[in-house]
Structures are given as structure tokens and as C-alpha cells.
Amino acid sequence: MVDMVTLESIKLFFMALVEKYGLLGIFIIGFTEPIFQPFPVEMFMIAGISLGMDWISVLLVGGIGSILGSIVTYFLAIKYGEQLAFKFFSEKDYRKGEDFLKKYGLLGFIAISFTPIPFEIMCWVCGVFEMPFERYLLGVFISRVIKHGVIIIPFVWGINLKIW
């Protein structure tokens, strides 16, 4: 597992990516989130908006990065299976994701955005168990639209209403 000093270093690195490279930084963070990294892209999307980036562009770029990263994760999981997943996640967390997917299927995968189970673990589990790709992609798209929207849109409304 990653210690707190390393997590803080990663977070600072990602913030620097957003500050220096803007939308490209958000895309990179979105792309890596479903593969292996521990931070949700939404926190960096909010940072980008706070830095003056257009919220629609931020939402699109972060979402596209996350969807493309999810596709990569799916195929890595099919090819390398659990052995590679265990290099990124504890077996306990992975098994929680596996149990959740078996119990709830596609709807569970969509709902995962609102649970403590990390999204990236579920992407790996879907690939390892070879969920049909079209269903997986539909689940990724719907879950990203919901999660990013639920987190970003109220923030944007808050700025526009001068609440924040």
C-alpha cells in the first residue's frame, strides 16, 4: 500500500499538472484514475475550474480521459488478470469489488460511483471477469456522467450564484 507521504506527493504532482498544463493535466489525471491512481479526477476538475478553466471543457476532458483510461484498464485486466491488479490493490479490496460485481452486475457497476469501493478496482474486476465490453463501456459512461455531474455542476452553480 502507498503511505501518506507518497499520497501527498502524488496529489501535489497532480495539482502542478493542472496548474501548468490545464486541460491536458486534467485529461492525464482522468486517464490514470481508472488504471491505478488513488485520487478522483473530480477534485482536480474543481481545481481547474477554480483556476478559471471553462467548466464544460473541464467536464468533457476529464470525462473523456476517464472513459479512455477505463478502456485501457479493461483490456489490461483481460490480458494480465488478477496478478497485475494485486500490484495496485490489496486482495481484500479487490475481493470486495468482485463480490459487489457478482451481486449487482451492471447496475452495481454504475452505482459504484457512490460507494466507498474505488471505481478503479471495479474496472479491473469487470475486465478480469470479462463483462461484455459494450455493457462495460455503457456502465463507465453512465457512471462517469453521473459522478462528474453530481460533483461538478453544483460547484459551478455555486460559483455562478456567488455562494462560494
Side-chain angles (χ1 to χ4, degrees):
M1 299 311 300
V2 181
D3 65 24
M4 293 308 288
V5 173
T6 305
L7 284 176
E8 186 63 25
S9 303
I10 294 169
K11 185 174 77 176
L12 292 173
F13 173 75
F14 284 157
M15 281 305 299
L17 271 179
V18 172
E19 290 173 357
K20 186 169 183 176
Y21 297 105
L23 292 173
L24 177 60
I26 291 171
F27 176 84
I28 291 167
I29 296 165
F31 183 82
T32 59
E33 177 190 12
I35 301 172
F36 64 85
Q37 64 98 348
F39 295 106
V41 66
E42 296 85 13
M43 65 191 279
F44 301 100
M45 293 166 80
I46 290 170
I49 293 167
S50 296
L51 292 170
M53 293 178 209
D54 174 62
W55 71 270
I56 294 173
S57 299
V58 166
L59 195 58
L60 287 172
V61 167
I64 291 168
S66 185
I67 290 168
L68 292 176
S70 297
I71 292 169
V72 169
T73 302
Y74 179 85
F75 289 108
L76 284 172
I78 286 176
K79 184 164 176 78
Y80 298 106
E82 290 180 343
Q83 298 308 316
L84 184 57
F86 291 155
K87 294 194 183 296
F88 298 124
F89 315 108
S90 72
E91 185 170 351
K92 179 183 172 190
D93 287 344
Y94 181 85
R95 296 293 172 217
K96 282 183 191 176
E98 177 183 3
D99 293 343
F100 189 89
L101 182 64
K102 285 179 181 177
K103 185 172 182 179
Y104 299 106
L106 179 63
L107 290 178
F109 179 64
I110 293 169
I112 204 72
S113 292
F114 304 99
T115 72
I117 300 171
F119 179 72
E120 60 270 17
I121 290 174
M122 292 305 298
C123 291
W124 281 94
V125 170
C126 288
V128 168
F129 291 99
E130 297 187 24
M131 174 186 272
F133 182 70
E134 296 80 16
R135 290 176 58 107
Y136 171 75
L137 198 53
L138 176 65
V140 167
F141 178 77
I142 291 171
S143 72
R144 300 297 80 191
V145 167
I146 292 170
K147 183 175 184 193
H148 295 169
V150 164
I151 292 173
I152 299 301
I153 299 303
F155 177 77
V156 170
W157 286 341
I159 288 175
N160 291 340
L161 297 173
K162 306 292 185 217
I163 293 171
W164 299 31

